[in-house]
Amino acid sequence: MTRIPPASRSKVTLPPAVRGLDAERLAALHRMSGAIVHDLNNLFGVILGANERLAAELGEGGDQQKHALIGLEAAERGAALLRRLLSLAQDEARELDPIDCADVLQTLRRLARQAIAPGVRVSVWTPAAPLHCAGDRVGLEMALLNLCLNAGQATSDGGSVSVRARATRLTAGEARGLGLAPGGYVAFSVQDTGKGMSAETLARATDPLFTTRPAGTGLGLSSVLDFATAAEGALLLQAREGEGATATLFVPLAQAETAAQAA
């Protein structure tokens, strides 16, 4: 079991001359990335428009329309991610509204089923009672999708990936172990029946660019950790070699539900 604390990245101090050179490169990268984001945003506009027209032209309720709508939904999430990049570049604060966890999991079910191999069973269980967490909805959806993709890639045909969400109240001791403040959280768990991880792999699983797959980028779990840190939550990884793995993402409960729990 590996507990990933909210702030586990080391800082490196560079000499003044190197810092000056890096500042110039960063400025150039900033301009270039802004242009790329702008152009990608235009392309997503084309994709969104084409999928909207395709979905409208296809038979109502048919499989073809269903797939067109899933593509439209994925493109909408991509466009939202680009808007986040633009807001970060412009130092704009994001407004964080309460997130309906059932809605998030329903979206995740559609996206994960298209991205995971057909031979792997995907089960997403929505909470029976209303459940809301605090944070960035698109960021949460992408973090959970990353966890599902990792689980699916580690699981052979005939295996399964299961996703659940539950409200939990962490005591001082439990919260301390996760590097969190005590209180109410939503725990999103993604469990697979795959090959699991060795202790050595588990210890490095969230390191940026670390991967055990030839075609992997090593950015999936790292980005989930970044989301958890920004959301004032935590990521807990549990795995044994040959016995599958469970990733649990803790996100603070919405304020209204935290107050209701305390009452």
Side-chain angles (χ1 to χ4, degrees), residues 12-27:
V12 179
T13 302
L14 299 173
V18 176
R19 288 201 298 271
L21 181 60
D22 279 357
E24 292 178 7
R25 289 177 176 171
L26 285 173

Side-chain angles (χ1 to χ4, degrees), residues 67-156:
H67 290 129
L69 289 172
I70 291 172
L72 177 61
E73 191 170 36
E76 287 171 345
R77 295 305 184 274
L81 286 173
L82 283 177
R83 290 194 294 271
R84 283 180 58 199
L85 281 176
L86 286 171
S87 67
L88 287 173
Q90 297 165 1
D91 291 327
E92 293 179 2
R94 295 199 306 274
E95 293 184 6
L96 303 180
D97 297 320
I99 303 169
D100 186 325
C101 297
D103 282 351
V104 166
L105 292 178
Q106 287 168 2
T107 297
L108 178 69
R109 180 188 288 117
R110 293 189 290 270
L111 298 180
R113 181 61 281 170
Q114 298 304 310
I116 293 176
V120 177
R121 186 170 67 257
V122 178
S123 300
V124 180
W125 307 87
T126 56
L131 183 60
H132 295 80
C133 62
D136 167 25
R137 172 166 178 157
V138 174
L140 175 60
E141 288 174 347
M142 293 304 100
L144 292 173
L145 182 58
N146 268 309
L147 293 178
C148 286
L149 292 179
N150 269 19
Q153 289 159 356
T155 305
S156 302

Side-chain angles (χ1 to χ4, degrees), residues 147-232:
L147 293 178
C148 286
L149 292 179
N150 269 19
Q153 289 159 356
T155 305
S156 302
D157 284 357
S160 65
V161 174
S162 302
V163 186
R164 290 177 170 82
R166 61 182 175 86
T168 185
R169 188 160 191 85
L170 298 178
T171 64
E174 292 169 335
R176 191 181 308 115
L178 290 165
L180 296 175
Y185 292 83
V186 177
F188 295 90
S189 64
V190 178
Q191 184 177 22
D192 67 68
T193 60
K195 59 186 179 183
M197 286 182 270
S198 67
E200 294 78 10
T201 298
L202 184 60
R204 297 193 59 197
T206 60
D207 288 355
L209 305 182
F210 173 77
T211 181
T212 58
R213 295 185 294 110
T217 64
L219 295 174
L221 288 176
S222 174
S223 70
V224 176
L225 176 57
D226 287 341
F227 168 79
T229 302
E232 298 183 353

